[in-house]
Amino acid sequence: MTKNRLKCFLFNDLEPWERRSVEALLEEISTRISVETIWVTESQRRFFHFTGEGQYWIVAKNWQRALHFLSSKSFKSGKLYVSVLDVNQHKSSLYGLSFQSILSRSSKSLTFLVHSPMEYRFLRDIKKVPQEQVQLLPLPFYRSSRSYQRKNSDEFRLGTLCQFDTESNIPFAIAVSHFIKQCAPQVRMDIMGRGPLYNHFAKMVNELEIGEMTNVVETVSDFDISQWDLFLYFPLRNAHFIPVMLAAASKVPVLSVDIPGIEKFITSGDRKSTRLNSSHGYIS
């Protein structure tokens, strides 16, 4: 993205915290080049069928559907970037858009922007995307405009944020909750997110009789992470580190599984020693 003008398509399937992180990156980019942000509506359907050249960045959770919606196969010249924000789309055959078909239709105009080292390795080593068509682009930390204040409580709260679907590591969270009930029943755990398996996981909590200390909460809006004493981060695969940065914004320590790139965000230390490197979005 080195030319003088960039148009960014933002789709409405982004989570609020994903959108704000992308907007922070757009704000940084706009200090160097001209950026036009387009909130996608029905009027943009088959956009590239009518306008097939220039520099464009597509940001959507369901990025395969976004490419189809905009008719990326009609893109003629310039550069077309697409953010990979949802790893679940790799297994989807929606509209028949596999990586190979996408690449063959869009040729070398298309570049995948990935936001975690794990995703970069997956595209390069597993999907065999050519090196010149995939770039690692860490998303920046953003500071929330909301003012958070912890409640005065002796209750210890553990929380996590994830998608309620088959690709998430929700059974691990349920196992942690069950373990906590046996060892530290005074601890409370919040599992927040959304997805098609919400009812399934809520039912699991009730059947395991851990509902009195475990909340499975479906949410599509902002919530107050600062009320947690510890943030659990345990993805099977991660498309980005936004949840970790959300915890950092509220000064909540993070306990994470060992995944590529996490060492640049968190280090061992107590709550008071957690700091944020605002230039890179890292916690140190």
Side-chain angles (χ1 to χ4, degrees):
M1 289 182 277
T2 58
K3 302 295 182 181
N4 294 324
R5 185 172 181 81
L6 173 71
K7 290 187 177 182
C8 178
F9 292 103
L10 294 178
F11 282 73
N12 61 9
D13 62 347
L14 296 172
E15 303 291 353
W17 49 91
E18 292 172 330
R19 184 180 68 247
R20 284 195 302 278
S21 189
V22 170
E23 289 172 343
L25 181 57
L26 285 171
E27 184 177 350
E28 172 63 25
I29 294 175
S30 67
T31 63
R32 305 173 188 175
I33 62 174
S34 174
V35 176
E36 178 183 352
T37 301
I38 302 172
W39 284 100
V40 176
T41 63
E42 185 62 28
S43 62
Q44 277 78 45
R45 184 179 292 276
R46 302 180 66 204
F47 178 87
F48 293 122
H49 181 76
F50 307 101
T51 305
E53 57 185 33
Q55 282 200 118
Y56 300 91
W57 180 19
I58 300 171
V59 186
K61 184 175 287 292
N62 195 328
W63 51 269
Q64 290 193 10
R65 184 170 62 187
L67 287 170
H68 177 82
F69 180 88
L70 295 171
S71 296
S72 64
K73 63 181 180 180
S74 299
F75 189 77
K76 296 180 178 63
S77 64
K79 204 64 183 174
L80 182 61
Y81 301 90
V82 59
S83 275
V84 179
L85 284 173
D86 190 346
V87 298
N88 295 340
Q89 298 305 318
H90 300 326
K91 290 190 176 183
S92 173
S93 59
L94 186 64
Y95 301 116
L97 285 176
S98 66
F99 271 93
Q100 293 305 317
S101 64
I102 291 173
L103 290 170
S104 62
R105 292 181 183 185
S106 299
S107 186
K108 294 184 178 180
S109 297
L110 179 63
T111 298
F112 293 100
L113 299 179
V114 295
H115 309 294
S116 75
M118 180 180 285
E119 202 57 21
Y120 181 83
R121 295 180 190 177
F122 179 82
L123 296 193
R124 290 284 294 115
D125 300 338
I126 306 300
K127 290 299 183 179
K128 305 299 182 184
V129 178
Q131 184 173 358
E132 63 273 14
Q133 289 186 262
V134 57
Q135 293 183 15
L136 179 61
L137 179 66
L139 291 172
F141 171 78
Y142 66 90
R143 295 192 179 278
S144 174
S145 59
R146 295 176 60 178
S147 175
Y148 297 128
Q149 184 175 2
R150 283 191 57 79
K151 297 177 182 178
N152 294 324
S153 174
D154 294 330
E155 185 179 72
F156 189 93
R157 299 199 73 90
L158 182 67
T160 191
L161 170 67
C162 54
Q163 292 289 323
F164 300 140
D165 55 40
T166 57
E167 296 301 309
S168 293
N169 205 1
I170 296 292
F172 177 81
I174 299 297
V176 169
S177 296
H178 191 266
F179 177 80
I180 289 174
K181 180 183 178 181
Q182 310 305 317
C183 300
Q186 72 278 12
V187 173
R188 297 294 178 262
M189 183 169 182
D190 298 321
I191 304 175
M192 307 192 72
R194 66 170 174 167
L197 296 183
Y198 165 72
N199 290 331
H200 171 71
F201 289 118
K203 183 179 179 181
M204 284 180 61
V205 167
N206 290 329
E207 290 180 347
L208 290 171
E209 298 181 350
I210 55 176
E212 61 185 32
M213 51 78 62
T214 304
N215 297 316
V216 180
V217 182
E218 187 173 33
T219 178
V220 295
S221 60
D222 243 344
F223 48 87
D224 193 351
I225 287 180
S226 69
Q227 301 308 308
W228 294 343
D229 296 284
L230 182 65
F231 183 92
L232 270 185
Y233 189 60
F234 49 88
L236 293 173
R237 282 178 43 207
N238 70 314
H240 52 67
F241 290 97
I242 296 176
V244 176
M245 292 188 285
L246 281 172
S250 297
K251 297 186 168 127
V252 176
V254 179
L255 180 62
S256 173
V257 295
D258 187 11
I259 54 177
I262 194 65
E263 71 281 354
K264 292 186 177 180
F265 286 82
I266 61 175
T267 58
S268 298
D270 58 28
R271 188 186 188 95
K272 293 182 179 179
S273 67
T274 301
R275 296 169 305 152
L276 179 73
N277 184 329
S278 59
S279 62
H280 295 90
Y282 295 161
I283 308 170
S284 59

